[in-house]
Amino acid sequence: MTKLPPFDRRQFLAASSLAGGATLLGANGLPALSAADHPQPEALADSCIFIWLGGGACHLDTWDPKRKSTGKTDPGSYYDAIDTAIPGVQVCAPLKRMANLMDRTAVLRTINHDVINEHAAATNRVHTGRPPTGTTIYPSIGSIVSHQLGPRGDGVPAYVVMGYPSASRGPGFLGARHSYVYLTDTELGPAGLQPRPEVTAARMARRQRMLSTLREDFLARNSGPGPVDDYIAASQEGDRLAGPKFMSVFDLKSEPESLREEFGGEFGQRCLLARRLVESGVRFVEVSFNLNFINGTGWDTHNAGQLNQHLLIDQLDQALASLILDLEKRNRLDKTLIVVATEFGRPPEFDGGGGRGHQPQAFSVLLAGGGLKTGQAVGTTDELAKKIVDRPISVPDLHATIHRTLGINHTTELYDGDRPVPITDRGEPVAELFS
């Protein structure tokens, strides 16, 4: 089992958990719409699995195929296009399992932003839904969902990340209590929740009593809410999550062996764990497909990474199809919104090494389940998927769509101190997805 980078208990407690409020001024400086203008929407789904293809997955080699290239000097898709369960909508040939399940999905083919050559900045844009400023650290979509809704049950967190810990996934001005539980191993669960073996229950109890005394003394001398309160809340939540209910979610061996095999390798096991997490009551799970060793470059297919890109797509196809069918079998698909996102697409032209560069002006995001009006592709790109022909969809629009699906008013204002910040950067839900 491939492990993610280590994350110790102190780091976890400093950046972990559930709960409350905040956010966001429009980047264009225009006044935000009042939440009263948009009544609280009815929730279609109660959870979100956010699958992250970090590196920049190529849309015209996956969800938006065009004519097939004949070689390095001929722009186009790398693979043949195949028909799908949606009449008139095709995907690339390596997505053979998903082709039969596209009626459970909606492809947004005209997502766009203006960050070109910087992966971290583009990742931040897609996760926070807005460009950075020098005065505000904006929260991620997962932290906002955590703040607005919290977990669906006791003893579990609202927000879990399987992937790189970074500010882009973080709570920003919402504070530590709205950060994520970070997983280092899909079988063992978050190592930061567990004390070292030599720390007995008695030693832990003594530490907790001492810590409680220190906290009470500090709070008596320092009144008012602030970062320390958030840290204490996150620490206490971490202690609660160390209980058997949440830790039992990570026992993947309790699933039938045949099902685990259906999901495939490490990425597939993360998707299976994501299903178990949302079933347990976790509200938002990010699953990162960051296994770059599979093809040498991951989804950042410059140069030779393009040659073995199909290995990534095959694993995505297997795991995503299994996730959709498993949720459907368990009557959870309509209540679980699946989002397959990336920081930008890739152009139709090939670079000198046979790979592709970066393209943020038109790329695809796939949505599945969530009670949405699926079985459609929204937006059209040109003959090489390089430019938007109709129905551009901004990253704030994508965020507003996720919020609307989960029953969050996309015009809500959060607060960075006393500064009101709209929950999206003037985004609007994609109307075609809601009947």
Side-chain angles (χ1 to χ4, degrees), residues 110-111 378-380 388-393 397 428-432:
T110 51
I111 303 292
V378 182
T380 307
I388 294 173
V389 173
D390 62 46
R391 190 60 173 94
I393 301 170
D397 292 339
E428 289 293 330
V430 176
E432 294 91 330

Side-chain angles (χ1 to χ4, degrees), residues 78-393:
Y78 199 72
Y79 309 106
D80 291 322
I82 57 174
D83 293 333
T84 73
I86 307 174
V89 173
Q90 295 185 314
V91 295
C92 283
L95 292 165
K96 53 187 180 294
R97 297 176 183 85
M98 281 303 303
N100 296 321
L101 299 176
M102 291 299 288
D103 56 334
R104 280 84 154 179
T105 78
V107 187
L108 308 183
R109 285 177 163 169
T110 51
I111 303 292
N112 64 95
H113 59 70
D114 59 5
V115 182
I116 299 175
N117 289 320
E118 176 51 54
H119 287 278
T123 297
N124 189 72
R125 179 68 62 88
V126 176
H127 278 79
T128 65
R130 64 192 67 228
T133 70
T135 57
T136 297
I137 301 176
Y138 295 113
S140 67
I141 180 74
S143 290
I144 292 175
V145 170
S146 168
H147 168 260
Q148 290 292 296
L149 300 176
R152 297 193 339 266
D154 296 331
V156 298
Y159 178 21
V160 170
V161 169
M162 285 180 267
Y164 299 122
S166 72
S168 294
R169 279 93 171 160
F173 62 74
L174 291 178
R177 69 177 65 190
H178 301 297
S179 191
Y180 47 81
V181 171
Y182 171 56
L183 301 184
T184 62
D185 189 289
T186 50
E187 289 186 334
L188 298 177
L193 289 171
Q194 299 294 321
R196 295 179 63 83
E198 64 270 20
V199 180
T200 64
R203 287 182 66 187
M204 181 59 69
R206 289 197 302 272
R207 292 180 179 186
Q208 292 293 351
R209 288 194 295 271
M210 180 181 295
L211 180 59
S212 178
T213 300
L214 292 172
R215 285 172 178 161
E216 291 173 2
D217 179 64
F218 179 87
L219 292 175
R221 292 182 287 106
N222 298 272
S223 60
V228 172
D229 300 84
D230 286 341
Y231 182 90
I232 290 173
S235 174
Q236 292 172 334
E237 181 62 24
D239 291 336
R240 286 191 291 270
L241 294 181
K245 178 180 179 180
F246 183 50
M247 298 307 294
S248 69
V249 176
F250 303 96
D251 182 16
L252 293 180
K253 291 182 180 178
S254 66
E255 297 286 346
E257 183 177 357
S258 59
L259 181 63
R260 286 181 279 139
E261 290 177 352
E262 284 178 20
F263 273 82
E266 170 63 16
F267 172 67
Q269 299 310 298
R270 294 180 190 183
C271 289
L272 176 57
L273 178 56
R275 186 268 286 167
R276 290 173 61 85
L277 286 165
V278 297
E279 276 190 326
S280 75
V282 177
R283 187 75 66 174
F284 193 99
V285 181
E286 176 170 329
V287 182
S288 181
F289 194 160
N290 60 334
L291 307 174
N292 296 347
F293 57 84
I294 294 174
N295 71 330
T297 66
W299 297 99
D300 191 19
T301 53
H302 296 287
N303 303 317
Q306 181 75 31
L307 297 177
N308 289 318
Q309 180 186 214
H310 64 279
L311 300 177
L312 297 175
I313 302 173
D314 286 343
Q315 290 202 17
L316 173 65
D317 182 53
Q318 179 178 1
L320 182 58
S322 297
L323 177 62
I324 289 173
L325 291 174
D326 193 34
L327 286 168
E328 190 171 69
K329 180 180 178 181
R330 303 171 80 88
N331 297 315
R332 281 286 317 167
L333 183 59
D334 283 344
K335 288 296 183 182
T336 306
L337 174 65
I338 301 172
V339 181
V340 183
T342 189
E343 64 259 47
F344 39 54
R346 311 195 86 82
E349 300 87 3
F350 297 95
D351 59 30
R356 303 188 193 268
H358 302 160
Q359 179 178 296
Q361 64 266 28
F363 62 102
S364 299
V365 168
L366 184 81
L367 306 181
L372 297 176
K373 186 177 180 180
T374 55
Q376 60 176 322
V378 182
T380 307
T381 56
D382 66 8
E383 69 276 6
L384 287 175
K386 193 165 185 175
K387 296 180 180 179
I388 294 173
V389 173
D390 62 46
R391 190 60 173 94
I393 301 170

Side-chain angles (χ1 to χ4, degrees), residues 389-410:
V389 173
D390 62 46
R391 190 60 173 94
I393 301 170
S394 69
V395 174
D397 292 339
L398 173 64
H399 280 221
T401 299
I402 295 171
H403 290 317
R404 166 69 182 83
T405 304
L406 296 175
I408 299 170
N409 190 331
H410 69 282

